Amino acid sequence: MNKSHTVALLAKRVFFCFMLLLPLCKLLNGNLVFAEGQTKFAQDFFDVAEPITLKDPLAVILGAIDNDGAFVFTYADAVKFAGHSCPAVAGAYKSTQLALKALYGKETPVRGNISVTIMGGVDENVNGPISQIVSMITGAAAENGFKGFGPAGKYGRYNLMSFAPEQKTDTKATCTLLFQRRDTGKTVEITYDPALAHADERMEKLMPLALSGKATDEQARLFGNLMQERVKTILFQPPEGTFIIREKQ
């Protein structure tokens, strides 16, 4: 092997090693590299909001996770499920998180062991979209959910999400939800009122422009950023009274 061939071979090896280490170098320098197909959000706080961790016996039985494993839901998961981020999506996520803490304390909540009742009808206010986020996290489904195994419906999830159209709700609040543990019967009620997390006054003028498609690129970007600043407040620093939790007897 001549000297020039040896140098060329060495150069190829150095280049190959460099390409392998490049993603790590970028990550360490704060330039996050996104894998192909991975969502790149416009907001960096979606993955920073406190996650929600639950055990899921059905997932263990069917081999999706190990016996000591758990599902971890992030706000980014809620955003992907809803297709957007807004006060309703944030409120559904945070309400579920707070309710599970109240029901389980230091225990890890058990997915499929929680039933949820939403005050008012499915088409009242934003009850429908909120129920979808709650269902995604808790596993509580309506009549279209998994019916379980065998005549007893073991591990079933259907009919754990319901609506109570006959129940009066606080007209000022966005939603009122009842979360109940199926094993102990412990129940908590949570009322969510995003009005306390005041919207930037500029949004009132920007919203019709953004929704009609008449906003400039700068106006549309500002509207989106102001919307997400409000969402951020709801998730991280909700004003007192935004979420009211009561234990029910």
Side-chain angles (χ1 to χ4, degrees):
M1 184 181 293
N2 57 43
K3 185 175 181 180
S4 61
H5 183 73
T6 302
V7 171
L9 182 61
L10 180 60
K12 287 181 179 179
R13 289 177 177 175
V14 171
F15 178 77
F16 180 71
C17 291
F18 173 76
M19 293 304 293
L20 287 177
L21 292 173
L22 182 59
L24 177 60
C25 292
K26 286 185 176 181
L27 181 60
L28 292 175
N29 284 323
N31 185 13
L32 185 60
V33 177
F34 288 87
E36 184 179 355
Q38 184 175 343
T39 305
K40 185 175 182 179
F41 291 108
Q43 306 293 329
D44 58 8
F45 70 86
F46 289 175
D47 285 312
V48 179
E50 184 182 353
I52 302 173
T53 302
L54 303 96
K55 298 177 182 178
D56 194 324
L58 177 59
V60 173
I61 290 293
L62 297 181
I65 56 177
D66 294 328
N67 191 50
D68 58 350
F71 283 135
V72 179
F73 292 93
T74 66
Y75 182 63
D77 292 324
V79 173
K80 284 186 281 188
F81 185 86
H84 66 283
S85 171
C86 71
V89 175
Y93 181 88
K94 191 71 175 181
S95 293
T96 304
Q97 183 178 70
L98 294 172
L100 293 178
K101 287 182 178 182
L103 285 177
Y104 283 88
K106 294 183 178 180
E107 296 179 61
T108 301
V110 180
R111 198 165 183 268
N113 185 48
I114 305 141
S115 62
V116 182
T117 302
I118 300 181
M119 300 297 102
V122 65
D123 56 351
E124 184 175 328
N125 208 345
V126 286
N127 279 354
I130 283 176
S131 71
Q132 292 181 312
I133 301 300
V134 176
S135 182
M136 178 193 74
I137 298 170
T138 64
E143 65 274 8
N144 60 340
F146 176 57
K147 292 188 179 298
F149 298 109
K154 190 170 185 179
Y155 300 116
R157 306 291 169 82
Y158 81 112
N159 286 341
L160 296 183
M161 170 68 70
S162 61
F163 296 84
E166 73 284 355
Q167 293 292 331
K168 292 183 178 180
T169 58
D170 186 342
T171 56
K172 295 181 181 179
T174 290
C175 64
T176 298
L177 308 96
L178 292 178
F179 290 78
Q180 183 178 58
R181 286 182 58 163
R182 300 175 69 195
D183 56 348
T184 66
K186 185 176 181 180
T187 305
V188 296
E189 177 189 87
I190 184 162
T191 298
Y192 169 54
D193 180 8
L196 297 171
H198 300 295
D200 189 292
E201 60 184 15
R202 290 173 290 178
M203 289 185 66
E204 186 175 353
K205 292 183 178 180
L206 290 170
M207 179 176 283
L209 294 174
L211 295 180
S212 66
K214 296 178 180 179
T216 64
D217 289 346
E218 184 179 353
Q219 288 173 326
R221 188 162 45 250
L222 176 59
F223 173 73
N225 286 335
L226 292 176
M227 174 69 76
Q228 296 314 310
E229 281 300 313
R230 190 178 182 209
V231 167
K232 191 174 182 179
T233 297
I234 292 166
L235 289 174
F236 292 90
Q237 294 179 314
E240 185 177 353
T242 303
F243 298 93
I244 298 176
I245 305 175
R246 302 180 183 90
E247 186 169 340
K248 306 291 285 187
Q249 299 298 326

